[in-house]
Amino acid sequence: AIKDDIGTVRIQRPLKGPFYVSHKTIDQLIANLGKWARWYKYASMGFAAFGFYLIAKQAFQYIMERKRYWEIKKRVFDAAAKRTTSDSEENGVNGTRKDGQMPDICVICLEQEYNSVFVP
């Protein structure tokens, strides 16, 4: 509410800041907004911590998956090398696929050639 030069009282929007019409005093309004601001601050910190947890969990799972993959690959190659040396001593047969990258032995028993493939 402002009073102009003539003395007329007029209610208008202020030039700066929000416009409130309330029975509460400005101190009560500020105290109420402070409560909500603290609540939003704590909620945002909680959501940030939860988001960090989700990202860390995904990163950990990815790292563990890659580690398991390399361990299995190493086991397969070691078994293939062991099998190849024993086969080459016996009859000179190479135990790898045609492309030469992956041995053609079963990844579960690591002794026999695989004869089936499961495709997701």
Side-chain angles (χ1 to χ4, degrees):
I2 62 167
K3 193 176 205 182
D4 60 4
D5 296 336
I6 308 172
T8 312
V9 176
R10 185 171 35 158
I11 296 177
Q12 70 179 27
R13 184 179 184 102
L15 298 175
K16 293 190 299 183
F19 181 68
Y20 291 108
V21 177
S22 175
H23 295 287
K24 295 180 180 180
T25 65
I26 191 72
D27 293 332
Q28 291 172 335
L29 289 172
I30 290 172
N32 190 23
L33 289 175
K35 290 177 190 175
W36 282 106
R38 276 190 301 280
W39 178 242
Y40 289 142
K41 181 177 78 171
Y42 296 140
S44 68
M45 288 191 307
F47 284 127
F50 184 67
F52 178 75
Y53 164 75
L54 291 177
I55 290 171
K57 179 183 167 193
Q58 285 293 102
F60 180 74
Q61 286 177 345
Y62 176 77
I63 290 169
M64 293 306 292
E65 179 183 335
R66 297 306 296 177
K67 182 181 175 189
R68 279 188 229 110
Y69 170 76
W70 286 110
E71 287 174 355
I72 285 180
K73 190 174 180 181
K74 183 181 181 300
R75 282 182 57 201
V76 168
F77 280 128
D78 290 345
K82 183 179 177 183
R83 182 168 181 243
T84 302
T85 57
S86 65
D87 284 348
S88 64
E89 290 172 358
E90 292 175 10
N91 55 9
V93 176
N94 190 2
T96 59
R97 274 196 280 167
K98 293 165 188 65
D99 59 3
Q101 292 181 356
M102 192 73 167
D104 58 356
I105 60 172
C106 177
V107 296
I108 296 172
C109 66
L110 299 175
E111 293 177 0
Q112 298 179 3
E113 292 184 7
Y114 62 84
N115 57 7
S116 60
V117 176
F118 296 103
V119 179

